Amino acid sequence: MTTHRAKKSLGQNFLVDANQQRRIVAALEAGSGDTVIEIGPGQGALTRHIAGSVARLFLVELDRDLAPALENEFADDPAVTVIQADVLDTDLREMVGGDMSSVKVVGNIPYNITTPIIFRLLERELRPERIVIMIQREVADRILAGPGESEYGALSVGVQSVARAERLFNVGRGSFRPVPRVDSTVLLIRPISPPPLTARDEEDLRDLTRTVFSWRRKQLQKTLRSAPAYALDSARVDAVQQQTGIALDRRPEQLAPDQFISLARALRDNREAANHTSPRAP
Ligand code: SAM
């Protein structure tokens, strides 16, 4: 491959430590029957450890210079498909031919779009079997945080309610070129199958956590009274507290993911009951 000038705008910090490359690929546990998607293959640091050992390998790379170079390098391997595109605009399901549930996803992903990529991969229809990603350590901490921790928020609840996430290992800055300004962590995320929540639960949970964590220092009941999407009055606050057993004078960071799920369901029931009983407009 010809010398490539790293593009900051595309989050290009290439992993040059062969040991770490091998550890990441080993964690994917991909074998000869597997379909693998690599997000942001760059100059092929991880790709070279995967190609030749899986049934199908899709490489989604946005860089217009690097994608053709990868095509060249793997031209003789019919298992490899290079897609020059933004992963966030790519229909991954269509790309692999329909079913994502047995697909494995790997990537040393661009740090500026880590959260959107994770949310994308955890969309109901897109959830793969296994995700091994290297991300900024602070974002990994936010994903893994539990109730009461300062990093705990909508991202933690969103991931933990549909998947099991674990830290595999940290990777120091010296393993990359150019050397980044942040430390990295390799995470394993395994979506729970079949999905534990209904599509509606997931939607309500997402709306709720986004709303309440926007005011993370406020008591839940205060946010649920003032946010237009909920606009609870005192009677409804009492009804929701009674149904869930959750005291709403607590702050969002104190609730566990399963309590958020109960709360989202109770708020929905309550909204539906209110719609049902409200007098018809003249
Ligand atoms: N996997 C390589 C490695 O480990 O050395 C490169 C990692 S580098 C941190 C991130 C890669 O993602 C770059 O190759 C970059 O061009 C690519 N990239 C950035 N934004 C992207 C996007 N929206 N969709 C797909 N690839 C993207």
Side-chain angles (χ1 to χ4, degrees):
M1 197 167 278
T2 51
T3 321
H4 173 82
R5 219 185 144 82
K7 294 172 186 149
K8 222 175 171 182
S9 62
L10 294 180
Q12 292 181 349
N13 296 97
F14 300 106
L15 182 65
V16 293
D17 181 332
N19 239 347
Q20 304 289 20
Q21 296 167 1
R22 277 192 289 270
R23 286 176 87 191
I24 293 171
V25 173
L28 192 62
E29 295 182 359
S32 57
D34 282 321
T35 294
V36 172
I37 299 173
E38 186 184 352
I39 299 174
Q43 296 180 302
L46 303 176
T47 324
R48 283 182 208 109
H49 300 276
I50 312 169
S53 62
V54 298
R56 298 189 301 161
L57 175 57
F58 293 91
L59 307 175
V60 185
E61 172 55 63
L62 182 56
D63 190 306
R64 285 175 194 281
D65 301 318
L66 293 179
L70 289 162
E71 243 166 45
N72 253 344
E73 180 170 350
F74 296 103
D76 295 334
D77 186 342
V80 177
T81 307
V82 180
I83 290 105
Q84 189 272 309
D86 183 336
V87 68
L88 295 172
D89 295 337
T90 305
D91 186 336
L92 300 178
R93 223 162 86 104
E94 191 182 284
M95 182 179 83
V96 300
D99 181 20
M100 285 286 289
S101 65
S102 59
V103 169
K104 295 178 175 172
V105 175
V106 67
N108 167 15
I109 62 180
Y111 291 169
N112 52 339
I113 52 169
T114 301
T115 311
I117 290 177
I118 291 173
F119 275 125
R120 191 82 208 279
L121 291 173
L122 292 179
E123 276 174 28
R124 220 175 156 75
E125 303 301 321
L126 291 181
R127 268 169 224 164
E129 182 187 334
R130 197 176 175 84
I131 305 167
V132 175
I133 42 168
M134 177 142 64
I135 60 178
Q136 192 175 335
R137 197 178 297 180
E138 285 76 11
V139 181
D141 292 342
R142 281 170 49 211
I143 289 173
L144 299 169
E149 295 182 49
S150 60
E151 298 92 347
Y152 185 62
L155 181 62
S156 335
V157 178
V159 173
Q160 293 170 27
S161 56
V162 298
R164 307 261 174 263
E166 60 180 285
R167 185 190 312 270
L168 294 180
F169 48 91
N170 295 326
V171 179
R173 303 168 193 210
S175 295
F176 301 86
R177 292 293 178 276
V179 176
R181 262 184 280 166
V182 294
D183 293 316
S184 302
T185 291
V186 178
L187 271 195
L188 169 63
I189 301 178
R190 284 171 300 157
I192 302 166
S193 178
L197 303 179
T198 64
R200 209 150 164 231
D201 281 342
E202 286 179 16
E203 203 180 308
D204 289 343
L205 179 66
R206 191 180 52 235
D207 292 345
L208 174 63
T209 52
R210 279 188 187 160
T211 304
V212 296
F213 279 109
S214 304
W215 287 279
R216 60 182 301 134
R217 307 303 305 161
K218 261 194 183 179
Q219 289 181 7
L220 287 159
Q221 56 103 3
K222 287 202 175 134
T223 304
L224 293 174
R225 279 174 200 269
S226 57
Y230 299 99
L232 297 193
D233 57 20
S234 300
R236 297 220 171 101
V237 168
D238 288 345
V240 169
Q241 288 195 126
Q242 213 157 37
Q243 186 179 334
T244 56
I246 299 166
L248 295 181
D249 59 357
R250 300 167 79 190
R251 295 204 186 104
E253 64 206 16
Q254 297 172 291
L255 257 55
D258 60 332
Q259 291 179 303
F260 274 111
I261 296 165
S262 311
L263 186 54
R265 285 180 180 150
L267 288 165
R268 182 172 67 220
D269 292 349
N270 195 272
R271 190 169 55 233
E272 284 169 1
N275 288 343
H276 202 64
T277 53
S278 65
R280 261 193 233 158

